[in-house]
């Protein structure tokens, strides 16, 4: 003779097994790759690296960020995705931490984060202040046209 508690426990156990079958779970698990994406945003850590990046690349997109900046963290993955986009393959993507390279950020006149700057032939051509995804794409398209 089973009690109502025992009956409900057995029924819920059977229900759980029918819902969470291993075959159902296997279909919903995301498959991961062992190869890493291109990840072509270069972290600039010295003033000389920045000068070399400007000198060695025709078009440079610079992301000026700070580790404590929330909008910088929010838009960073979007910039990485754009750096792997085929239409922006001729753009050199770089980023500097304004707290680690204060001399470069001062020279560039950074006043807010994030600031995106597009350089053509070593000269600043365009600037975008703030985390605006649509404006960032527009800036990148201007760079790709050059």
């Amino acid at each position: 003779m089973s009690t109502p508690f025992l009956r409900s426990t057995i029924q819920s156990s059977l229900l759980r097994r029918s819902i969470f079958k291993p075959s159902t779970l296997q279909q919903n698990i995301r498959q991961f790759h062992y190869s890493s994406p291109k990840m072509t945003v270069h972290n600039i850590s010295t003033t000389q690296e920045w000068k070399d990046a400007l000198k060695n690349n025709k078009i440079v997109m610079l992301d000026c960020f700070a580790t404590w900046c929330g909008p910088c963290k929010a838009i960073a993955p979007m910039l990485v995705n754009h750096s792997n986009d085929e239409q922006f393959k001729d753009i050199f993507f770089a980023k500097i931490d304004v707290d680690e390279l204060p001399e470069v950020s001062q020279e560039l006149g950074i006043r807010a984060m994030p600031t995106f700057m597009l350089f053509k032939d070593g000269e600043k051509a365009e600037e975008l202040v703030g985390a605006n995804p649509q404006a960032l794409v527009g800036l990148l398209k201007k760079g790709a046209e050059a």
Side-chain angles (χ1 to χ4, degrees):
M1 177 173 181
S2 63
T3 63
F5 174 75
L6 185 57
R7 246 183 283 139
S8 67
T9 305
I10 291 170
Q11 287 173 345
S12 70
S13 175
L14 291 172
L15 179 65
R16 250 186 270 130
R17 271 190 256 149
S18 67
I19 292 174
F20 298 110
K21 290 180 183 174
S23 61
T24 307
L25 287 176
Q26 290 298 324
Q27 294 170 355
N28 295 331
I29 295 175
R30 181 173 174 203
Q31 299 299 317
F32 289 96
H33 301 272
Y34 287 104
S35 62
S36 61
K38 290 189 283 185
M39 301 291 275
T40 54
V41 179
H42 304 275
N43 287 314
I44 305 293
S45 55
T46 65
T47 305
Q48 189 58 46
E49 265 185 86
W50 169 240
K51 290 178 182 176
D52 291 343
L54 277 180
K55 186 174 71 174
N56 298 332
N57 299 285
K58 184 178 177 181
I59 304 166
V60 177
M61 169 57 79
L62 178 66
D63 173 13
C64 303
F65 75 101
T67 55
W68 47 264
C69 170
C72 299
K73 291 177 186 176
I75 202 161
M78 294 176 205
L79 188 68
V80 170
N81 287 339
H82 292 310
S83 73
N84 291 325
D85 194 338
E86 188 64 28
Q87 67 177 329
F88 306 127
K89 68 181 184 312
D90 296 329
I91 300 175
F92 181 85
F93 288 82
K95 62 190 305 178
I96 62 164
D97 184 342
V98 296
D99 294 329
E100 289 187 18
L101 287 176
E103 61 279 356
V104 174
S105 51
Q106 198 169 31
E107 180 184 315
L108 295 173
I110 306 300
R111 55 190 190 281
M113 272 74 66
T115 296
F116 299 95
M117 295 182 171
L118 186 67
F119 292 84
K120 294 180 182 176
D121 298 317
E123 298 294 321
K124 184 166 84 170
E126 301 280 337
E127 180 176 334
L128 169 66
V129 178
N132 184 337
Q134 290 82 15
L136 179 61
V137 171
L139 189 63
L140 289 169
K141 286 183 179 179
K142 285 180 185 177
E145 292 170 358

